[in-house]
Amino acid sequence: MIHYNLVNEYLNDIELPEPMTEVVGASYELEGKELDFITQANNFLEHEPIFSSYQKKDVHCLGTCLINLTRTGLYFLLEDEIMVVHRSILKEGEGEADWEISHFRFTEIQNLDHEVINGLTEPKYESGALFLKVLNEKGAVRNHTLRNMNPAHFQCFEDFHVAIKNNRTISK
């Protein structure tokens, strides 16, 4: 399993916003499992058909998280959504076979909340939990929790969510 604190600390030092192509195509100065994880996530994303529609979108925050208890991911905060490229922790040595992409569009997020988990030894970069209530394609509300996040990004998530909700309300 990757060291979230190490990866989030490194990713936090990247100057953003930058277009998705710059972020995905960058050379990362990490080693071992951490470098493999980021490289595989970026390679998977870059070869997905949807990538062409994301190439010019700016990435505002970037970090790692647990998308559920068995999947670890690389999240991208875009202007209108949170995108997470993730894979099973249980299949780490199997390369790119198990990668998936989850989209949490701000227009579909009904509620967004966060918490900093106390008692961790290095809480700065891996102590965050983001709670999302999202409408699915059938209109039902589903709960999602992203764990081991960089809590420094919470204000950005909230700001983007509020901006999207306000724009949607104003335009109606």
Side-chain angles (χ1 to χ4, degrees), residues 36-53:
D36 290 344
F37 173 78
I38 291 177
T39 302
Q40 289 175 13
N42 287 339
N43 284 342
F44 174 78
L45 181 59
E46 204 169 24
H47 291 95
E48 281 296 293
I50 63 156
F51 185 70
S52 61
S53 63

Side-chain angles (χ1 to χ4, degrees), residues 2-127:
I2 64 169
H3 293 95
Y4 296 95
N5 193 35
L6 176 72
V7 178
N8 279 335
E9 184 175 2
Y10 176 81
L11 295 175
N12 201 49
D13 290 338
I14 295 174
E15 199 167 310
L16 295 174
E18 286 288 333
M20 179 73 84
T21 53
E22 297 293 321
V23 173
V24 170
S27 294
Y28 294 95
E29 297 175 11
L30 290 167
E31 297 177 352
K33 289 181 182 179
E34 290 74 25
L35 179 61
D36 290 344
F37 173 78
I38 291 177
T39 302
Q40 289 175 13
N42 287 339
N43 284 342
F44 174 78
L45 181 59
E46 204 169 24
H47 291 95
E48 281 296 293
I50 63 156
F51 185 70
S52 61
S53 63
Y54 286 89
Q55 290 179 344
K56 295 186 193 290
K57 287 190 175 191
D58 282 340
V59 176
H60 296 274
C61 290
L62 174 66
T64 60
C65 65
L66 275 172
I67 193 163
N68 61 35
L69 297 177
T70 63
R71 298 191 71 79
T72 188
L74 183 65
Y75 66 82
F76 301 86
L77 174 63
L78 307 173
E79 192 167 312
D80 56 351
E81 72 180 276
I82 302 166
M83 177 193 294
V84 185
V85 180
H86 52 93
R87 71 166 181 210
S88 172
I89 296 170
L90 306 173
K91 299 180 181 180
E92 265 189 37
E94 297 180 23
E96 298 183 28
D98 192 38
W99 287 96
E100 295 178 22
I101 299 173
S102 294
H103 302 271
F104 303 103
R105 291 172 180 84
F106 285 120
T107 55
E108 298 166 354
I109 296 174
Q110 299 301 297
N111 191 18
L112 181 139
D113 199 4
H114 56 81
E115 178 181 347
V116 176
I117 296 153
N118 296 320
L120 293 178
T121 56
E122 297 184 52
K124 187 173 181 182
Y125 293 105
E126 64 178 36
S127 62

